[in-house]
């Protein structure tokens, strides 16, 4: 099992690989491929549950999907994303919700979309034994403030704020930091400034690791962001398989003899 310490030992070494997964069969494939970290992202909202944004995802959704991923994972570290408003407003409730991801769902750590409001919360969670992955740059739970999903840290003031928050979360005890949709040179600077590993998505090549949303990476998403890369055409393969199935049933070539069996003496039943 990959641990927090294994990840921290990887800074400056072989890059960390992280992918999202939301269900058992996907987790099995991702784990068997040797991915270091499986993130059960709240992107489950858009990728799997049919929501427009991640905002409607609940603690119960995250717990159920995380537990499915944990059951199918032998080696990777499983990190559960904390959904919108399940943390940050009230410390006690935040800790209770994060604790459920470890105690009920079996995750090894939680990820919080971070900001000034998560510095002391991160510290408290870490003190209590809940490993925290921080997340700065584009934090999709702020979609209503952004009015979309724009690149972050694009001027000096914003870049300095990200660097400052990155340091504050490292000091608070976060064991790693996701940097989303920020300029590559800012991600490189943050990576240089921190001891903990940075994991980038749309943040250039200089982070200590990379993460993508599974559906984008394998070509299952109908649309994916420009910073993502499709390493396959799973959507095309699935569509072809379903078309072939429909054709086979309609043309009565499925089921064939090898898919059926007959029992003798069934006429006795009638
Ligand atoms: O929810 C998610 O999938 C994420 C990744 C994009 C980092 O937070």
């Amino acid at each position: 099992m990959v641990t927090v310490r294994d990840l921290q030992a990887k800074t400056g070494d072989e890059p960390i690989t992280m992918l999202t997964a939301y269900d058992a069969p996907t987790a099995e494939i991702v784990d068997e491929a040797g991915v270091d970290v499986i993130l059960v992202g709240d992107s489950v909202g858009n990728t799997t549950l049919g929501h427009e944004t991640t905002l409607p995802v609940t603690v119960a959704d995250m717990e159920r999907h995380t537990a499915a991923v944990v059951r199918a994972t032998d080696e990777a570290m499983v990190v559960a994303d904390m959904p919108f408003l399940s943390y940050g407003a009230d410390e006690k409730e935040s800790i209770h919700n994060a604790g459920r991801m470890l105690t009920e769902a079996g995750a090894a750590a939680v990820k919080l979309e971070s900001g000034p409001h998560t510095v002391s919360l991160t510290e408290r969670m870490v003190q209590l034994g809940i490993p925290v992955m921080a997340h700065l740059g584009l934090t999709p739970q702020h979609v209503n403030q952004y009015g979309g999903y724009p690149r972050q840290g694009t001027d000096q003031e914003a870049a300095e704020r990200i660097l400052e928050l990155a340091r504050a979360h490292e000091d608070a005890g976060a064991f790693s930091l996701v940097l989303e949709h920020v300029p590559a040179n800012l991600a490189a600077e943050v990576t240089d400034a921190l001891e903990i590993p940075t994991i980038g998505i749309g943040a250039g090549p200089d982070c200590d690791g990379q993460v993508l949303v599974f559906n984008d990476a394998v070509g299952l998403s109908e649309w994916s962001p420009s910073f993502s890369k499709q390493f396959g055409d799973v959507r095309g393969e699935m569509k072809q398989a379903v078309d072939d199935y429909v054709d086979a049933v309609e043309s009565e070539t499925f089921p064939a003899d090898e898919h059926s069996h007959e029992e003798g003496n069934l006429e006795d039943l009638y």
Side-chain angles (χ1 to χ4, degrees):
M1 269 281 177
V2 175
T3 65
V4 163
R5 280 178 186 276
D6 295 331
L7 285 194
Q8 288 180 322
K10 276 190 126 191
T11 41
D13 198 355
E14 196 184 315
I16 295 165
T17 51
M18 178 158 111
L19 264 182
T20 67
Y22 316 102
D23 58 50
T26 308
E28 212 170 278
I29 292 167
V30 172
D31 192 41
E32 280 173 10
V35 164
D36 297 307
V37 184
I38 301 181
L39 171 67
V40 189
D42 64 348
S43 50
V44 69
N46 335 51
T47 58
T48 308
L49 299 177
H51 298 303
E52 287 283 318
T53 70
T54 58
L55 304 193
V57 175
T58 65
V59 172
D61 290 333
M62 290 310 304
E63 202 178 307
R64 185 169 303 110
H65 286 275
T66 300
V69 166
V70 167
R71 284 193 286 272
T73 301
D74 290 327
E75 290 302 325
M77 168 189 282
V78 177
V79 177
D81 225 353
M82 295 305 296
F84 183 54
L85 296 186
S86 67
Y87 63 99
D90 176 75
E91 188 182 89
K92 203 167 157 195
E93 193 188 341
S94 308
I95 289 164
H96 172 75
N97 288 334
R100 273 172 64 177
M101 297 304 157
L102 272 65
T103 57
E104 306 294 320
V110 297
K111 178 170 81 60
L112 309 182
E113 289 191 11
S114 311
H117 62 298
T118 56
V119 177
S120 64
L121 180 60
T122 297
E123 188 168 13
R124 189 74 188 119
M125 284 187 182
V126 173
Q127 280 169 353
L128 291 168
I130 303 173
V132 174
M133 176 178 275
H135 179 164
L136 291 169
L138 177 68
T139 47
Q141 291 171 12
H142 287 86
V143 59
N144 286 319
Q145 266 135 340
Y146 299 143
Y149 299 100
R151 184 179 285 117
Q152 299 295 305
T154 51
D155 60 50
Q156 194 177 346
E157 198 187 326
E160 277 170 7
R161 214 167 31 242
I162 289 173
L163 179 57
E164 198 181 302
L165 280 171
R167 286 201 173 105
H169 282 82
E170 174 172 80
D171 291 346
F175 72 91
S176 62
L177 168 67
V178 169
L179 283 170
E180 180 165 354
H181 211 11
V182 296
N185 48 340
L186 170 60
E189 198 175 326
V190 173
T191 301
D192 236 30
L194 299 189
E195 304 259 310
I196 58 171
T198 58
I199 303 178
I201 172 163
D206 293 321
C207 292
D208 296 300
Q210 296 292 326
V211 55
L212 283 179
V213 167
F214 178 85
N215 299 42
D216 297 340
V218 300
L220 177 57
S221 306
E222 205 169 359
W223 172 90
S224 50
S226 58
F227 56 69
S228 197
K229 176 171 169 170
Q230 293 163 337
F231 292 85
D233 179 25
V234 169
R235 193 177 184 86
E237 292 261 341
M238 286 172 88
K239 187 172 176 336
Q240 187 59 56
V242 174
D243 284 348
D244 290 351
Y245 165 74
V246 170
D247 284 350
V249 172
E250 286 178 352
S251 63
E252 299 182 18
T253 55
F254 177 82
D257 286 349
E258 69 266 31
H259 308 118
S260 318
H261 79 283
E262 291 186 6
E263 295 287 341
N265 300 326
L266 284 186
E267 60 275 17
D268 295 350
L269 293 173
Y270 301 103

